[in-house]
Amino acid sequence: MVEIDFWDSRARNLECIFDQLKSQKVRKMAEILERTESSYFNSFKILFQDVVNALKEAREINMYLKPLKSTIEALEESEFDQLQPRLAPVLHVLCLIWANSTYYRMPSRIIVVLQEICNLLIRIATEYLSPDEIFKGESDEALEKVHYVVKVLEQFKRRF
């Protein structure tokens, strides 16, 4: 899932930047900037604090998104007819993230995850309702598959 990978990558990148900022050379440079009352010292302090805050945010979001990864993987590996019981755990994890995460409790962020989940469901439904099979097979059988897909997606919509 792109959102989960993004936050994992962001956390790792910020860890590297933070480690560089904590290095002996950079600390020495900061001391020199402070002692000489350089106009760059204030900017450096702000930059350092921005990195610390962004790292804190990325770590927390990454921690809360990790459990979602396994539930999403279970969805991705499922056939459509096995999907229905796996939807509730995904939505439950999303609700837990919304309730507990300080940084991810924003509509703009949770919408991204919901869009990715919806796109995943559409992809799985499209594979299940393969046009080749629908138009080549019996119409009653195809109609039954379509009704089943609609039922599962409506159930997801009601829960969400």
Side-chain angles (χ1 to χ4, degrees), residues 51-156:
V51 170
V52 168
N53 292 338
L55 179 58
K56 184 179 174 187
E57 175 191 48
R59 281 176 177 164
E60 193 233 47
I61 290 173
N62 199 29
M63 177 185 73
Y64 281 106
L65 289 180
K66 280 205 186 297
L68 184 62
K69 187 172 186 163
S70 60
T71 57
I72 294 294
E73 286 172 352
L75 276 182
E76 288 175 331
E77 294 167 2
S78 301
E79 295 294 323
F80 196 86
D81 53 354
Q82 303 166 341
L83 204 61
Q84 202 165 6
R86 292 189 169 112
L87 293 175
V90 170
L91 293 174
H92 180 72
V93 171
L94 272 177
C95 288
L96 289 173
I97 291 169
W98 179 263
N100 295 301
S101 175
T102 306
Y103 297 103
Y104 214 74
R105 194 180 306 138
M106 301 168 127
S108 60
R109 291 199 171 148
I110 210 79
I111 285 172
V112 171
V113 174
L114 287 170
Q115 284 176 330
E116 285 192 52
I117 292 168
C118 289
N119 288 340
L120 174 62
L121 293 176
I122 290 167
R123 185 178 51 79
I124 294 169
T126 303
E127 290 169 4
Y128 181 72
L129 294 173
S130 168
D132 295 339
E133 291 178 25
I134 286 182
F135 293 117
K136 288 181 183 175
E138 289 292 319
S139 60
D140 291 341
E141 196 177 294
L143 188 58
E144 190 176 306
K145 281 178 108 175
V146 170
H147 284 301
Y148 180 69
V149 167
V150 169
K151 178 184 153 198
V152 170
L153 294 178
E154 281 179 346
Q155 179 192 27
F156 173 75

Side-chain angles (χ1 to χ4, degrees), residues 8 12 91:
D8 184 49
R12 280 186 281 114
L91 293 174

Side-chain angles (χ1 to χ4, degrees), residues 5-15 54-55 57-58:
D5 294 341
F6 167 78
W7 286 105
D8 184 49
S9 174
R10 182 173 171 93
R12 280 186 281 114
N13 290 339
L14 286 166
E15 287 281 353
L55 179 58
E57 175 191 48

